[in-house]
Amino acid sequence: MNETRRDHDLLSIGVFAREAKLTQKALRLYDALGLLTPARTDPDSGYRSYDRAQLHRAKLIALLRRLDMPLTRIAEVLDLRGVDAADAIGAYWREVERDTLVRRRLVQYLETYLSGKGDHMYEIEVREVPEQHVLSLRRALRVHDLEDFIVRTTGDLYAMIARAGLRASRTSLAIYHGRVDEDNDGPVEICVGFEPGGAELPTPGGDVVVKMLPAHREAYTTITKAQTEFPGILGAYDAVGRYVHEHGLTCNDASREVYFTTAAETQDDDPFCDVAQPVA
Amino acid sequence: MNETRRDHDLLSIGVFAREAKLTQKALRLYDALGLLTPARTDPDSGYRSYDRAQLHRAKLIALLRRLDMPLTRIAEVLDLRGVDAADAIGAYWREVERDTLVRRRLVQYLETYLSGKGDHMYEIEVREVPEQHVLSLRRALRVHDLEDFIVRTTGDLYAMIARAGLRASRTSLAIYHGRVDEDNDGPVEICVGFEPGGAELPTPGGDVVVKMLPAHREAYTTITKAQTEFPGILGAYDAVGRYVHEHGLTCNDASREVYFTTAAETQDDDPFCDVAQPVA
DNA sequence: TTGCTCCTCACGTCACGTGAGGTGGC
DNA sequence: TTGCTCCTCACGTCACGTGAGGTGGC
């Protein structure tokens, strides 16, 4: 009750640990790291004494550790004051939440496929695709940049076709010439079809090329916008792959996504694109 | 492309690791733990060979590790099939989400108080409280059981008073005779006041006692239902404590919460209870 | 013979937990 | 003298990462 005047009491490590909700072992580590140095260390016995005023710092460390913040990062936060410290914690936590979001989707994916609900989630069909003139741009990139690249490039190619006075196809493609994830960078090719009418396409600049996509058969399934999210979309690829396998077909070109609408005009549960695999 | 017929190909650890997105080091550890045993180990060279069909198991391990699931728990999941495995993952993830919720609130609390927004969040006042006859029950318990205990006991005491034909007070109390958290168990005392009118209270049974709470002064602040959530409520206690300290007052009894409404009829942002500290 | 892959063994990382064996203050 | 607290040092935990030094197959 009389603690008002005891702000400069020295506390033993045991008492200090109890009040701060830290273990003695942790306090000794923080001392060794210079994160929380005792107010006094007896030169003979090595006994540590803490100032009651150090409890603030100790409690803050304890709380940040409950957020699993690494000690090096805690040291950075402790160097900041007030709003800056609050912001640093907020920034850390946003990282955690981002990570949690990815993992949450992973759990959904696992639950769906392990429980067998994924087996009949996709209707697979086979269709003939005629040859098609396209504007195409190919790039190597990781999954992190994938969505942005697809959206921007598709828009750019549509714009080029329109400016040339040509009629564009209603669908666009993303062709995966190699795996795209954290470690593999494709490459990915974006294609937008057009009708080579009277007007002539000017020689496109940069990496954009005009080419002809050959006619082919493909196994495909239509997925909703929600289903395009990683890792859920893997389920669609798996389903198409299984279909191809079970029907004794052979993959003869790179797998692809066929977009027939834009994200802006599509609800989560509306059809958004096809996942397709050319087969022989 | 011809992998259809190679389901029983043996893969070197390097190839297998790349396909499963695991490191060789991890695969050797899983081998040592019996979590994922290579289809074949060369008795001379020690070279490990994996069956292509083992990729399923390996990829599942890799995904579960991305959820930070411990290897022992992964082993349990791998022993299950289909829906059971999905349920086990779901159960694990619910634990993670529960933990995340607690930590999320902790972040909110830290951001509020470090940025100084907490300083003026509570209006503290002082009031005189007259003496009061109460029914009281005291128990030692940890924070986990606290809310349930308060709600049930308060309801029970009100019921006892009503059945005795007496008029109950509009407010009830939770008095903290000791800290209540994961390690400390109070004790906590629940009190409901009544007017000792014509009818006589029967001698209450069990641990319930009749007593007189003495008249006193108390510093208090009113908080909303949302603010009662741990750890946010600590801010109210801090604010009252600071007020007492800064005004040179002395705490002369245990701190308490004064409830003047029930959770059922209260919105998150409506006043729900007072946090009070008797002072001299 | 040259690269490449694989092997084991040992030590490092992170933030502690858990003794062992010994000392200091009341 | 007896407990209690504190000290250092060493090893364990968890799931690997990172060499060191050496072998095997083409």
Side-chain angles (χ1 to χ4, degrees), chain A residues 12-14 24 28 45-48:
Chain A
S12 71
I13 194 172
Q24 299 189 19
R28 293 196 187 102
S45 66
Y47 275 38
R48 294 170 180 81

Side-chain angles (χ1 to χ4, degrees), chain A residues 4 21 56 60 69 73 78 85 109 117 122-123 137 168-169 193 207 270 272:
Chain A
T4 315
K21 303 198 162 278
H56 266 107
L60 182 53
M69 188 183 283
R73 193 137 185 197
L78 292 177
Y109 168 70
K117 280 178 202 148
Y122 303 99
E123 257 185 76
L137 193 154
S169 149
D207 303 323
D270 288 342
F272 181 64

